[in-house]
Amino acid sequence: MSGTVGQSPAADDPARTLLSRGYLRLLALSLCLGVPIALASFFFVSIQHWLEHQVWQELPHALGLGRAPWWWALPSLALAGLILAPIVTRLPGAGGHIPVHGLGGDPIGPRALPGVVLAAVLTLPLGVALGPEAPLMAVGSGLALLGVRTLRRHPADAASASVVATAGSTAAISTILGGPVVAAVMVMEAAGLAGPRLVVLLLPCLAASGAGALVFTGFGQWTGLSIGALGLPRVPPDTIPDAGDFLWGLPAAALVAVVVSVAHGVGERTLRWTSARGTAVRTVVCAVAVGVCLTAYALLTGRSPEEAALSGQMMLGELAENPHGWPVLTLVALILCKALAWGISLGSLRGGPIFPAVLIGVATGLACAGLPGLGTAPAFALGVSASTTVITRLPLTSCVLAVLLLGRDAYNQMPLIVLAAVTALLVGRLRTRRRPATPAAPAAPADA
């Protein structure tokens, strides 16, 4: 994550601000906004998940192909590029944040919402190696600002508007991160605030995401629709880490950091190339290149290209359920092809950077689990923690996410989870210290 999620509206005395009439109205507004944002997020992610199922499972079956054949990703990603190119170059907001920049940046305004929604719903299900988290946050912030304008309650200043947008983003992202806790910790850590000033920002975010979580969970049960939220139906068998797990685990965490940061560097180079000139044409070329990476995985392994496509949420569950069922060479092919596809997508397409990075990290950790003394549960845990730390640069958030994913089994893995995050952060910083600055997004019509 790059940049600051939001700034506090507090002046010189944050403690007094908490009891001020204006702040209490802001808190009530955030609470009310959480409900419609959660509903919008539910349908946004459900439609995307349904389209993924149609493209990669139902359509090949309807054509008599069984599963998606090895060449399936080539026309699918070419279509994604053709759809995305005019969105990036012609619509306000250019389809949302460029994922190589992380999840930060200025809030997405209401005028940019159509481009963000179209880019995510129409291209991510076609196999783009990105997740839904960044578009979901953009939808949350855009709807929050739109709600404020509709109610004719314009925030008094830019800082309050930023808090409202951040609350909307938090309510939206919490729907696929297992609840408000991870999203709230992410806001807290990314904002870089402490003490009362932190509470001023955090309370509206907790109110919005908490109210949204109630609606989101209940609505999911009523409709029976799947949203593909980041979660593990099963986890690797729990073990107590011993000396061997730490002896191999910390170098494995460093390896995860190198793989993820190198792939991120590919994204930065891709962005410099697509931003130079001919953005529309080069967007299509990059999308086809992602399809080539997915096709290469299918040809190398004899498996479906779907395994290396999309956000990686489904594959993460499969790796957790059967960590011993994947040959090391298959995992290596998945790491290389997924990392390259993800890197290209980071700099040219639209989506979220976190979920694919988690899959790459877990696959790298499990590929190292064959080393003597390194178990699958520690390898899985360090893969989640290290990869998330590198891509977000938020070690506390990464540890909390790893703990929530592993559930009760996380208790024994906590020391390794924490040390893996520290190791990955240091290695990632060393690798990115001398990189040239990533260019800004290509010019697009301004958002109001």
Side-chain angles (χ1 to χ4, degrees), residues 173-211:
I173 192 66
S174 67
T175 58
I176 57 171
L177 289 181
V181 175
V182 178
V185 172
M186 182 182 293
V187 170
M188 176 183 69
E189 192 173 12
L193 301 176
R197 293 182 62 83
L198 172 61
V199 177
V200 170
L201 172 63
L202 196 57
L203 286 182
C205 297
L206 283 173
S209 58

Side-chain angles (χ1 to χ4, degrees), residues 106-260:
D106 296 331
I108 294 293
R111 189 163 173 255
L113 272 181
V116 172
V117 173
L118 288 174
V121 172
L122 298 182
T123 66
L124 289 180
L126 294 173
V128 174
L130 293 170
E133 61 274 15
L136 198 58
M137 292 181 71
V139 168
S141 66
L143 289 178
L145 294 175
L146 181 61
V148 170
R149 296 181 186 181
T150 301
L151 294 173
R152 297 181 180 179
R153 295 183 179 274
H154 297 277
D157 50 43
S160 296
S162 181
V163 170
V164 171
T166 303
S169 295
T170 309
I173 192 66
S174 67
T175 58
I176 57 171
L177 289 181
V181 175
V182 178
V185 172
M186 182 182 293
V187 170
M188 176 183 69
E189 192 173 12
L193 301 176
R197 293 182 62 83
L198 172 61
V199 177
V200 170
L201 172 63
L202 196 57
L203 286 182
C205 297
L206 283 173
S209 58
L214 291 175
V215 176
F216 194 88
T217 303
F219 211 78
Q221 293 176 346
W222 296 335
T223 62
L225 295 175
S226 173
I227 60 167
L230 189 61
L232 300 176
R234 295 184 182 180
V235 296
D238 187 27
T239 58
I240 299 177
D242 54 21
D245 292 312
F246 285 91
L247 178 65
W248 292 114
L250 297 185
L255 178 61
V256 170
V258 170
V259 172
V260 174

Side-chain angles (χ1 to χ4, degrees), residues 76-94:
S76 178
L77 268 297
L79 178 59
L82 291 172
I83 293 173
L84 184 61
I87 296 175
V88 169
T89 55
R90 297 182 181 276
L91 291 186

Side-chain angles (χ1 to χ4, degrees), residues 20-408:
S20 67
R21 182 178 300 178
Y23 182 78
L24 292 177
R25 284 200 300 265
L26 180 64
L27 192 60
L29 177 63
S30 300
L31 185 65
C32 295
L33 287 174
V35 175
I37 289 175
L39 289 175
S41 300
F42 177 84
F43 285 109
F44 176 82
V45 182
S46 295
I47 291 172
Q48 180 192 319
H49 189 68
W50 180 81
L51 288 174
E52 288 179 3
H53 182 74
Q54 298 301 311
V55 171
W56 291 92
Q57 297 182 29
E58 293 297 329
L59 185 56
H61 181 75
L63 295 176
L65 300 173
R67 67 178 186 179
W70 63 267
W71 49 265
W72 190 259
L74 293 174
S76 178
L77 268 297
L79 178 59
L82 291 172
I83 293 173
L84 184 61
I87 296 175
V88 169
T89 55
R90 297 182 181 276
L91 291 186
H97 296 307
I98 298 178
V100 78
H101 291 151
L103 296 179
D106 296 331
I108 294 293
R111 189 163 173 255
L113 272 181
V116 172
V117 173
L118 288 174
V121 172
L122 298 182
T123 66
L124 289 180
L126 294 173
V128 174
L130 293 170
E133 61 274 15
L136 198 58
M137 292 181 71
V139 168
S141 66
L143 289 178
L145 294 175
L146 181 61
V148 170
R149 296 181 186 181
T150 301
L151 294 173
R152 297 181 180 179
R153 295 183 179 274
H154 297 277
D157 50 43
S160 296
S162 181
V163 170
V164 171
T166 303
S169 295
T170 309
I173 192 66
S174 67
T175 58
I176 57 171
L177 289 181
V181 175
V182 178
V185 172
M186 182 182 293
V187 170
M188 176 183 69
E189 192 173 12
L193 301 176
R197 293 182 62 83
L198 172 61
V199 177
V200 170
L201 172 63
L202 196 57
L203 286 182
C205 297
L206 283 173
S209 58
L214 291 175
V215 176
F216 194 88
T217 303
F219 211 78
Q221 293 176 346
W222 296 335
T223 62
L225 295 175
S226 173
I227 60 167
L230 189 61
L232 300 176
R234 295 184 182 180
V235 296
D238 187 27
T239 58
I240 299 177
D242 54 21
D245 292 312
F246 285 91
L247 178 65
W248 292 114
L250 297 185
L255 178 61
V256 170
V258 170
V259 172
V260 174
S261 61
V262 167
H264 191 271
V266 172
E268 293 175 339
R269 294 183 180 88
T270 302
L271 177 57
R272 286 194 290 272
W273 184 70
T274 55
S275 301
R277 57 187 176 86
T279 300
V281 174
R282 295 189 179 192
T283 297
V284 177
V285 171
C286 288
V288 173
V290 172
V292 171
C293 295
L294 306 183
T295 301
Y297 170 78
L299 292 175
L300 288 172
T301 63
R303 304 171 72 98
S304 171
E306 183 183 4
E307 295 179 348
L310 306 168
S311 66
Q313 293 158 266
M314 179 190 70
M315 282 298 300
L316 193 66
E318 293 186 12
L319 288 175
E321 186 174 3
N322 187 22
H324 297 289
W326 292 75
V328 173
L329 290 180
T330 300
L331 289 174
V332 172
L334 176 63
I335 294 165
L336 295 177
C337 296
K338 181 72 173 183
L340 184 56
W342 176 63
I344 297 171
S345 300
L346 284 175
S348 57
L349 307 179
R350 296 295 183 270
I354 296 179
F355 288 7
V358 174
L359 174 61
I360 294 168
V362 167
T364 304
L366 292 179
C368 297
L371 296 170
L374 180 59
T376 55
F380 193 98
L382 71 88
V384 175
S385 178
S387 59
T388 311
T389 298
V390 174
I391 194 59
T392 64
R393 299 184 182 181
L394 304 175
L396 178 59
T397 300
S398 304
C399 292
V400 173
L401 179 62
V403 168
L404 289 181
L405 277 177
L406 292 173
R408 292 186 302 174

